[in-house]
Amino acid sequence: MTESEKALATFQTRIRQMILRFEEMKKENADLYAMVDKNEQEIKQLQAKLDQQERDYQSLKMAKMLEITDSDLEGAKTRLSKLIRNVNNCIAVLSDEK
């Protein structure tokens, strides 16, 4: 085997190795793209679920604010009456001091 034949054989071997490495990298790249696509799909699903949960929470919060029972109303009236009496007492005390 001459020098040029040896160089050609070495070159061919290296080319085959590069082609094999290229095929491995191509497969790895495809696997990584598939993983990215799967993760993006999962993120979209989780984001949709989070959005729905936030809407449900806001609805529940609004319903709780609107929910007024008779006892809540009576308690609020009682507290308001007590505050009004306290304000009237303060006004009376201040009027007497003048």
Side-chain angles (χ1 to χ4, degrees):
M1 214 187 249
T2 67
E3 255 330 287
S4 58
E5 289 174 338
K6 286 181 184 179
L8 184 60
T10 304
F11 181 71
Q12 288 176 336
T13 303
R14 297 285 165 97
I15 293 292
R16 282 190 204 107
Q17 289 174 344
M18 285 179 60
I19 291 171
L20 288 174
R21 183 70 180 137
F22 170 76
E23 293 298 325
E24 290 173 4
M25 297 298 279
K26 197 166 133 181
K27 182 184 179 320
E28 182 181 350
N29 193 26
D31 291 343
L32 290 172
Y33 272 108
M35 187 184 308
V36 166
D37 289 341
K38 179 185 168 201
N39 287 339
E40 285 177 349
Q41 187 66 25
E42 185 177 350
I43 287 170
K44 285 179 185 177
Q45 290 174 348
L46 290 172
Q47 187 64 45
K49 187 176 180 180
L50 176 63
D51 292 342
Q52 181 62 43
Q53 293 290 335
E54 286 177 352
R55 284 191 298 274
D56 291 347
Y57 174 71
Q58 292 300 326
S59 295
L60 285 172
K61 201 163 81 171
M62 183 64 69
K64 185 67 177 169
M65 286 183 351
L66 294 176
E67 180 183 292
I68 298 176
T69 61
D70 290 336
S71 64
D72 291 339
L73 191 56
E74 287 300 319
K77 284 181 182 178
T78 304
R79 286 192 304 276
L80 186 57
S81 295
K82 191 175 186 181
L83 287 172
I84 290 172
R85 280 194 305 273
N86 284 339
V87 168
N88 285 338
N89 287 338
C90 289
I91 290 172
V93 168
L94 288 174
S95 294
D96 288 342
E97 289 181 2
K98 285 184 178 181

